[in-house]
Amino acid sequence: MTFAIKGLDHVVLRVADMERAIRFYCEVLGCQEERRVESIGLVQLRAGVSLIDLEPATGPFGAGARNMDHFALNIEPFDEAALRAHLSASGVEIGEVARRYGAQGLGPSMYITDPDGNTVELKGPPQA
C-alpha cells in the first residue's frame, strides 16, 4: 500500500435550510462555525479534528442530488504518482489533483468514486 488513512477529514452535506442546519450542528451538537465561502454558499463547521461542510441543496453543486456530496479521508503520504499507479491498477478512475481546504488546512487532494458511486476525497497533509 502506498499510503495510510489517518482519519476522516470532512463530510459534505447538502441541506434544505442552511440556518436550521447550522443551528442543529452548532447548538445541539456543539460544532463551531469555522469558515464561509459565500461564492458557493458553503459553511464549514468544526467537529473536533474534522469538519462538517454544509452546502445548499439547491446550490451550484447539484440540485436534487444526494444528501451527502462526498467524504474526505486524510492520508499520508500523498505521493501523486504512487497513488495514481495503485488506484489505476485497481481500476479506479482518478480525478485531478488540486490544492483544497480541509480540516488541517490547504493541501493536495484528489477525488475518486467507490463501486457504489459515492465520491471519496483523498486528502494529503497541509502545505504551506
Side-chain angles (χ1 to χ4, degrees):
M1 185 64 63
T2 61
F3 64 92
I5 295 174
K6 298 298 183 181
L8 183 66
D9 186 89
H10 64 275
V11 62
V12 180
L13 301 176
R14 290 193 172 102
V15 300
D17 182 322
M18 183 63 74
E19 293 310 312
R20 180 182 67 190
I22 291 170
R23 278 192 309 276
F24 174 79
Y25 283 100
C26 292
E27 295 174 16
V28 177
L29 297 183
C31 294
Q32 294 182 348
E33 186 173 322
E34 180 162 311
R35 183 172 175 252
R36 286 185 183 234
V37 182
E38 297 292 342
S39 61
I40 58 173
L42 180 75
V43 177
Q44 294 181 301
L45 307 176
R46 176 62 55 183
V49 298
S50 301
L51 291 175
I52 297 172
D53 294 355
L54 305 174
E55 64 181 32
T58 58
F61 296 108
R66 298 177 184 179
N67 285 352
M68 184 181 78
D69 179 71
H70 73 276
F71 67 92
L73 297 172
N74 285 319
I75 64 167
E76 285 187 25
F78 192 95
D79 178 335
E80 182 179 355
L83 282 168
R84 285 189 180 281
H86 172 72
L87 295 167
S88 294
S90 297
V92 176
E93 190 173 322
I94 306 158
E96 70 177 87
V97 171
R99 191 167 181 248
R100 296 181 177 96
Y101 189 82
Q104 298 176 359
L106 287 169
S109 79
M110 69 171 53
Y111 292 104
I112 62 172
T113 304
D114 78 7
D116 291 304
N118 296 301
T119 302
V120 180
E121 180 181 357
L122 301 178
K123 185 85 179 65
Q127 297 173 332

